[in-house]
């Protein structure tokens, strides 16, 4: 289905004798901003509706009798605007003089000093001196408005940004404006605690020092901080952040706007979870178990012991006696080296990580990913969240869903437990825990049994659809209502809504696929999207919400027992031989053991990088893990798994290394080193390089950039990827060359969505990102595939 390009109607105007064209409906401030002309603002925020409360953004417009506010005045064709006339300057000076009447002159101790809009605008636009010589008002300070935020009321200029964020963006109980006139001040809603996971955004958007973070209060000055643009290392959204460091201590993380992903916002977990980086409990030296106790050792001792024991066990018991459990937190470069180390250096495919259960790849290596994008949620008419809790697990996606609700989208929340989105959702459907897969099959059953299929895909696969219906004919809403303790009528209504939607996005939590009834959850929802035409365009799609910051990257890089990097099956002779030639190695064609099988089978040797299997293991698996003959753990802390290890290797955090992460929507982004490594610890890629050399491999990687270059050459999905071509905002795979930049250098463009033609041909073969139509490929219905134990 071809997507019609949207043509924006532009309006041309002149600002300070310079012409600019902006979309119709834009305000004067946005047009000036495009030209780089500063118009001072306090109440206005580009992510919220105009208010015009602060009266700071005055400009003069020809044919208008008096100055107007730039944040509320919509542009018109031929408009002529001036930002520097005497009348404009006088109006701004008057506004600033009024704001400063009661504002305390405490800049030297205010946390906002040095990055304060009131301070900056007073210097650039304000009067040279105040005519007010009476006593300023004072309040008891500070007032805690939440667990993490303090309020200094006398600094507040009543811009209302904070209250409007809570009401318009987060749409949750929070801050409000109390009293009226000169008594107006910020307060908290009565009987409604300000406990939103998005609360920290009000601190960042406050233009003065009225709202401050408890964790940063009186800690540092802005000019003392080293600021680095990077990517958050917690959930799978991949929000861009500014990492602020002083003397190699992480002091704060602020948002760094990437509109396509985070829309300029950041959740409190990403903002204030600093202890994992700053904790004194982090590992600082390798540990080797001697006489039953973990004792400090040198790096050479630890790495040589790891290499010699792995080699010994491989020679004695065979490569299948060795297993490797990778991480969903390490970079793509580190995940790539991890699987390469064990496939090339030790000849085993016993490589996996903790993840959801997805159908085993067929010959086309279909990856289970979100076929649309985070920004695509803005265009969706319907959003279905099945078995997920985005508010706590992928918060900024939850915030994007709230934005879609404001724009008229219908949202359906299907979860066993109450969800923070329930209040705003069109419908909240509860069901018994562990039945997400049964719910998905029921929705598909209704679409097929009532003949609600539509689109080119459904027309070309009518016989396959009938076969699928025969497989799930018993999963009617009425029967499932009893089994899953849910509402049959609500499920039937929802299936009809999806089938008739202009654009429906179906999202499910990766870990919902591990539930007892998960059977074919991922495949059933993909079929549901394909058969109802909700694919291959913005604002329509299906896919999992992954758990951690690089969950998808670990899969992309082949940290799986049955697929090579780029989702090429280990049984694919051509792919295996091509990769083997690039690596100068003979690769095994036998699928390895998966995560649960490695924990349950009692491996002779197990290498764990950046994971804590003890946290997910059953009591029997924990016992087997603790009795592993040779257990290596590579991590930042002495986790439960590390406490049982033979060798522990100290790694560094995401703020202390370079690399790339791939978020839940397939966007590959550059992670930048913001601080020096903790003394005694090393980056995971450097540790793996050292182990490989000790095993006798000819590895000499000098940097993550060099590793990314190899990934770009050997993994078709990442073809052409480099730190430069990925740029500041990243790109969604499959990647393709874009137009050269102004200096003639190659750039990359990502695919904003996947079409079913891409899936039919196999994105692992490097389908061009420019393909945006539904072709006539031969992709069979996903639900017809069997699940392989290796992918589970």
């Amino acid at each position: 289905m071809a997507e019609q390009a949207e043509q924006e109607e532009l309006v041309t105007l002149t600002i300070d004798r310079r012409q600019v064209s902006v979309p119709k409906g834009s305000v004067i401030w946005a047009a000036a901003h495009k030209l780089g002309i500063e118009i001072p603002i306090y109440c206005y925020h580009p992510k919220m509706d105009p208010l015009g409360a602060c009266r700071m953004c005055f400009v003069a417009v020809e044919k208008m009798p008096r100055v107007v506010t730039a944040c509320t005045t919509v542009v018109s064709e031929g408009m002529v605007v001036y930002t520097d006339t005497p009348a404009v300057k006088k109006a701004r000076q008057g506004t600033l003089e009024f704001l400063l009447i009661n504002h305390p002159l405490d800049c030297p101790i205010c946390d906002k000093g040095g990055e304060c809009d009131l301070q900056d605008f007073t210097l650039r636009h304000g009067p040279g001196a105040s005519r007010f010589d009476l006593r300023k008002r004072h309040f008891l300070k500070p007032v805690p408005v939440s667990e993490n935020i303090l309020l200094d009321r006398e600094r507040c200029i009543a811009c209302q940004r904070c209250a409007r964020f809570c009401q318009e963006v987060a749409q949750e109980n929070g801050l409000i404006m109390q009293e009226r006139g000169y008594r107006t001040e910020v307060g908290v809603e009565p009987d409604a605690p300000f406990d939103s996971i998005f609360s920290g955004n009000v601190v960042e958007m406050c233009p003065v020092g009225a709202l401050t973070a408890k964790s940063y209060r009186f800690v540092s000055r802005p000019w003392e901080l080293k600021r680095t643009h990077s990517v958050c290392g917690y959930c799978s959204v991949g929000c861009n952040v500014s990492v602020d460091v002083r003397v190699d201590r992480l002091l704060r993380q602020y948002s760094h706007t990437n509109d396509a992903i985070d829309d300029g916002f950041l959740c409190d977990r990403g903002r204030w979870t600093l202890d994992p980086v700053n904790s004194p409990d982090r590992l600082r030296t390798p540990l080797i178990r001697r006489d039953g106790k973990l004792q400090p050792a040198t790096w050479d001792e630890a790495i040589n012991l790891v290499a010699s024991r792995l080699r010994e066990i491989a020679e004695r018991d065979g490569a299948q006696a060795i297993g490797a459990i990778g991480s969903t937190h390490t970079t793509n470069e580190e995940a790539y080296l991890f699987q390469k180390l064990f496939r090339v250096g030790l000849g085993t495919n016993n490589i996996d990580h903790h993840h959801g259960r997805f159908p085993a790849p067929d010959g086309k290596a279909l990856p289970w990913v979100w076929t649309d994008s985070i920004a695509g949620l803005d265009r969706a008419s319907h959003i279905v969240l099945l078995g997920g809790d985005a508010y706590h697990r992928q918060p900024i996606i939850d915030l994007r869903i709230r934005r879609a609700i404001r724009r008229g989208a219908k949202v359906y929340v299907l979860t066993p437990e109450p969800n923070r989105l329930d209040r705003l959702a069109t419908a909240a459907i509860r069901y018994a825990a562990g039945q997400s897969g049964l719910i998905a099959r029921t929705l598909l059953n209704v679409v097929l049994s009532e003949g609600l299929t539509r689109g080119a895909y459904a027309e070309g696969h009518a016989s396959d659809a009938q076969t699928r219906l025969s497989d799930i004919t018993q999963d009617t809403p009425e029967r499932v209502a009893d089994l899953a303790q849910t509402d049959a009528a609500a499920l039937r209504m929802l299936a009809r809504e999806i089938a008739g939607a202009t654009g429906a996005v179906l999202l499910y939590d990766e870990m919902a696929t591990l539930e007892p009834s998960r059977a074919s959850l991922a495949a059933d929802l993909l079929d549901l999207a394909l058969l109802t035409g909700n694919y291959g365009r913005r604002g329509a799609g299906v896919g999992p919400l992954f758990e951690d910051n690089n969950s998808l990257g670990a899969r992309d890089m082949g940290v799986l027992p049955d697929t090579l990097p780029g989702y090429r099956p280990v049984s694919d002779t051509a792919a295996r031989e091509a990769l083997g030639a690039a690596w100068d190695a003979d690769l095994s064609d036998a699928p390895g053991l998966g995560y649960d099988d490695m924990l349950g089978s009692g491996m002779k040797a197990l290498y764990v990088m950046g994971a804590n299997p003890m946290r997910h293991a059953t009591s029997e698996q924990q016992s087997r893990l603790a009795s592993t003959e040779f257990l290596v753990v590579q991590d930042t802390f002495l986790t439960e798994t590390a406490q049982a290890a033979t060798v522990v290797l100290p790694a560094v955090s995401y703020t202390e290394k370079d690399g790339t992460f791939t978020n839940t929507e397939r966007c590959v982004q550059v992670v930048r080193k913001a601080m020096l490594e903790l003394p005694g610890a090393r980056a995971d890629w450097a540790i793996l390089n050292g182990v490989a050399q000790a095993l006798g491999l000819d590895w000499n990687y000098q940097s993550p950039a060099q590793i990314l270059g190899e990934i770009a050459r050997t993994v078709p999905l990442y073809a052409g990827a480099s730190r430069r071509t990925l740029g500041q905002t990243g790109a969604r795979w499959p990647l393709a060359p874009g137009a050269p930049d102004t200096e003639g250098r190659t750039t990359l463009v990502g695919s904003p969505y996947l079409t079913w033609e891409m899936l039919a041909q196999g994105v692992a073969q490097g389908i061009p990102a420019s393909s945006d139509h539904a072709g006539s490929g031969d992709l069979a219905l996903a639900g017809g595939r069997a699940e392989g134990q290796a992918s589970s």
Side-chain angles (χ1 to χ4, degrees):
M1 182 181 295
E3 183 182 68
Q4 300 299 322
E6 295 184 0
Q7 298 295 327
E8 284 187 315
E9 185 178 350
L10 298 180
V11 172
T12 301
L13 67 155
T14 302
I15 304 178
D16 292 345
R17 295 161 289 280
R18 295 167 61 189
Q19 272 199 350
V20 63
S21 295
V22 294
K24 185 177 181 179
S26 300
V27 294
I28 293 174
W29 183 89
H33 183 71
K34 185 175 181 180
L35 286 173
I37 296 173
E38 180 185 75
I39 298 178
I41 51 172
Y42 289 125
C43 68
Y44 180 75
H45 191 281
K47 304 300 181 182
M48 294 187 286
D49 293 334
L51 182 63
C54 71
R55 321 307 287 177
M56 186 65 204
C57 60
F58 285 124
V59 294
V61 179
E62 282 190 0
K63 300 180 182 179
M64 289 190 179
R66 58 180 63 88
V67 292
V68 299
T69 50
C71 74
T72 60
T73 305
V74 177
V75 300
S76 61
E77 185 66 34
M79 177 182 277
V80 179
V81 180
Y82 298 99
T83 68
D84 57 356
T85 67
V88 168
K89 293 178 179 179
K90 181 179 179 180
R92 291 178 184 171
Q93 287 180 355
T95 297
L96 283 167
E97 190 169 15
F98 275 117
L99 291 177
L100 292 170
I101 284 176
N102 276 307
H103 193 87
L105 299 179
D106 61 351
C107 299
I109 64 166
C110 177
D111 285 323
K112 199 73 171 182
E115 54 186 8
C116 171
D117 288 343
L118 183 60
Q119 192 179 50
D120 293 343
F121 293 159
T122 298
L123 288 172
R124 292 199 289 269
H125 306 282
S130 174
R131 293 175 289 175
F132 183 77
D133 59 359
L134 301 178
R135 178 178 173 84
K136 293 176 181 283
R137 66 180 179 180
H138 296 278
F139 293 102
L140 180 68
K141 58 182 291 185
V143 176
V145 294
S146 77
E147 182 181 343
N148 298 303
I149 301 172
L150 300 173
L151 168 65
D152 290 87
R153 288 174 290 174
E154 70 272 24
R155 294 177 184 164
C156 179
I157 60 172
C159 70
Q160 304 181 43
R161 279 188 186 180
C162 57
R164 293 170 59 225
F165 171 83
C166 296
Q167 295 158 11
E168 297 179 20
V169 180
Q171 300 178 67
E172 292 202 306
N173 295 326
L175 302 181
I176 58 174
M177 302 307 295
Q178 299 179 146
E179 301 291 348
R180 299 179 67 181
Y182 78 95
R183 294 182 183 273
T184 300
E185 63 181 57
V186 173
V188 181
E189 290 193 42
D191 304 318
F194 185 29
D195 61 353
S196 171
I197 199 169
F198 311 115
S199 66
N201 289 285
V202 302
V203 173
E204 187 171 344
M205 66 172 53
C206 178
V208 294
L211 293 167
T212 55
K214 188 182 296 185
S215 61
Y216 184 71
R217 193 172 176 87
F218 305 137
V219 169
S220 183
R221 312 299 291 175
W223 54 85
E224 298 175 324
L225 302 175
K226 174 191 172 187
R227 175 163 290 187
T228 304
H229 171 207
S230 191
V231 180
C232 181
Y234 294 107
C235 83
S236 62
V237 179
C239 297
N240 286 210
V241 293
S242 291
V243 183
D244 289 350
V245 173
R246 179 188 178 195
V247 194
D248 289 314
R249 183 174 179 83
L250 177 59
L251 295 186
R252 66 179 184 182
Q253 282 196 157
Y254 268 14
S255 66
H256 187 104
T257 302
N258 184 343
D259 284 332
I261 294 176
D262 50 55
D263 204 28
F265 299 114
L266 186 64
C267 77
D268 288 358
R269 178 152 53 116
R271 185 180 302 277
W272 286 321
T273 307
L274 309 180
D275 286 346
V277 176
N278 296 328
S279 175
D281 296 328
R282 284 183 53 184
L283 293 169
R284 294 169 177 266
T285 185
L287 303 173
I288 294 177
R289 188 171 297 279
R290 299 187 178 104
D291 300 324
K293 294 183 179 181
L294 288 172
Q295 300 181 16
T298 66
W299 271 104
D300 286 344
E301 287 178 313
I303 286 180
N304 288 334
L305 177 61
V306 169
S308 63
R309 292 289 284 125
L310 290 177
R311 188 186 303 111
E312 173 190 331
I313 292 171
E315 293 172 352
R316 185 190 70 200
D317 302 299
Q320 289 306 304
I322 299 174
I325 292 179
S327 176
T328 53
H329 294 285
T330 54
T331 65
N332 287 322
E333 293 78 2
E334 291 163 342
Y336 174 84
L337 285 194
F338 184 72
Q339 58 83 35
K340 181 180 178 181
L341 172 65
F342 285 89
R343 287 191 162 110
V344 174
L346 295 165
T348 181
N349 283 323
N350 294 337
I351 304 164
D352 207 352
H353 64 285
H354 182 66
H355 57 84
R357 181 182 178 89
F358 298 95
D362 67 358
K364 296 182 178 65
L366 176 69
W368 298 94
V369 293
W370 190 350
T371 61
D372 191 29
S373 64
I374 295 173
L377 291 172
D378 292 345
R379 303 190 183 195
S381 66
H382 294 65
I383 300 172
V384 179
L385 185 62
L386 176 59
D389 182 6
Y391 181 86
H392 290 103
R393 290 167 63 78
Q394 301 89 13
I396 296 301
I397 288 180
D398 178 277
L399 197 65
R400 185 74 77 153
I401 292 174
R402 292 166 189 256
R403 172 170 158 168
I405 291 173
R406 295 199 307 276
R407 297 185 173 195
K410 293 183 177 181
V411 172
Y412 296 85
V413 179
L414 290 77
T415 55
E417 301 294 333
N419 192 290
R420 290 284 283 248
L421 268 178
D422 288 351
R423 179 176 54 85
L424 304 173
T426 304
I429 303 174
R430 299 280 91 87
Y431 57 87
Q435 299 299 325
S436 300
L438 191 56
I439 299 298
R441 287 199 299 278
T442 302
L443 296 174
L444 183 59
N445 172 282
V446 173
V447 167
L448 292 173
S449 63
E450 295 189 4
L452 301 177
T453 59
R454 61 175 179 168
Y457 180 89
E459 292 173 3
H461 295 80
S463 59
D464 291 334
Q466 288 304 310
T467 301
R468 286 291 285 125
L469 177 58
S470 65
D471 293 338
I472 60 174
T473 187
Q474 75 282 4
D475 295 319
T476 64
E478 291 71 26
R479 173 178 176 273
V480 169
D482 291 332
L483 295 175
Q485 301 171 31
T486 190
D487 187 336
L491 290 179
R492 192 173 292 278
M493 175 275 297
L494 175 56
R496 293 167 179 168
E497 285 282 336
I498 294 171
T502 304
V505 177
L506 314 178
L507 300 175
Y508 57 95
D509 194 284
E510 171 194 13
M511 294 306 166
T513 62
L514 298 176
E515 295 175 357
S517 75
R518 82 285 183 204
S520 54
L521 171 62
D524 288 338
L525 287 179
L526 176 60
D527 287 345
L528 181 60
L530 289 170
L531 291 169
T532 57
N534 288 302
Y535 63 90
R537 51 194 167 88
R538 291 183 176 92
V542 60
L545 296 178
F546 287 101
E547 185 170 21
D548 297 320
N549 57 294
N550 207 33
S551 291
L552 181 55
R555 298 179 65 82
D556 292 351
M557 294 299 107
V559 185
L560 293 167
D562 50 5
T563 60
L564 301 169
Y567 301 98
R568 293 164 292 182
V570 296
S571 58
D572 185 330
T573 303
R576 193 177 63 254
E577 290 180 351
L579 193 58
W583 288 350
D584 192 22
D586 293 324
L587 303 179
S588 170
D589 62 354
L593 298 178
Y595 183 88
D596 286 332
D597 291 327
M598 283 190 281
L599 294 181
S601 62
M603 308 299 295
K604 295 293 184 180
L606 188 64
Y607 195 121
V608 180
M609 179 182 76
N612 186 12
M614 285 287 190
R615 184 161 56 98
H616 305 112
T618 63
S619 56
E620 181 180 352
Q621 289 174 335
Q622 289 177 347
S623 177
R624 288 183 179 275
L625 188 58
S627 60
T628 302
E629 178 181 332
F630 188 66
L631 176 61
V632 181
V633 175
Q634 185 172 309
D635 214 324
T636 55
F637 288 90
L638 193 65
T639 62
E640 295 91 336
T641 307
Q643 292 173 28
T646 312
V647 179
V648 178
L649 304 174
V652 301
S653 71
Y654 72 97
T655 61
E656 300 164 300
K657 58 187 175 185
D658 291 317
T660 56
F661 291 154
T662 303
N663 76 349
T664 197
E665 58 155 10
R666 318 181 319 277
C667 187
V668 187
Q669 299 186 90
V670 176
V671 180
R672 296 173 178 85
K673 184 176 180 179
M675 55 198 297
L676 294 176
E677 300 95 338
L678 185 73
R682 294 182 181 179
D684 291 285
W685 68 267
I687 298 173
L688 295 171
N689 188 66
V691 172
Q693 290 177 341
L695 282 170
L697 299 180
D698 186 22
W699 285 19
N700 190 30
Y701 295 106
Q702 299 297 313
S703 69
Q706 181 185 355
I707 304 168
L708 181 59
E710 182 175 320
I711 293 172
R713 294 190 299 272
T714 58
V715 182
L717 292 178
Y718 286 66
S722 70
R723 293 173 66 86
R724 183 185 61 77
T725 56
L726 290 174
Q728 296 293 308
T729 56
R732 282 183 291 276
W733 63 252
L735 305 175
D741 62 17
T742 54
E743 298 180 13
R745 299 177 302 185
T746 301
T747 61
L748 286 180
V749 294
S751 177
Y753 49 83
L754 299 178
T755 66
W756 77 267
E757 183 182 51
M758 289 181 180
L759 302 183
Q761 297 179 4
V763 295
Q765 307 308 315
I767 302 302
S770 59
S771 175
D772 64 358
H773 60 283
S776 55
D778 59 353
L779 175 65
L781 283 176
R785 299 193 184 95
E787 293 189 19
Q789 58 89 23
S791 277
S792 60

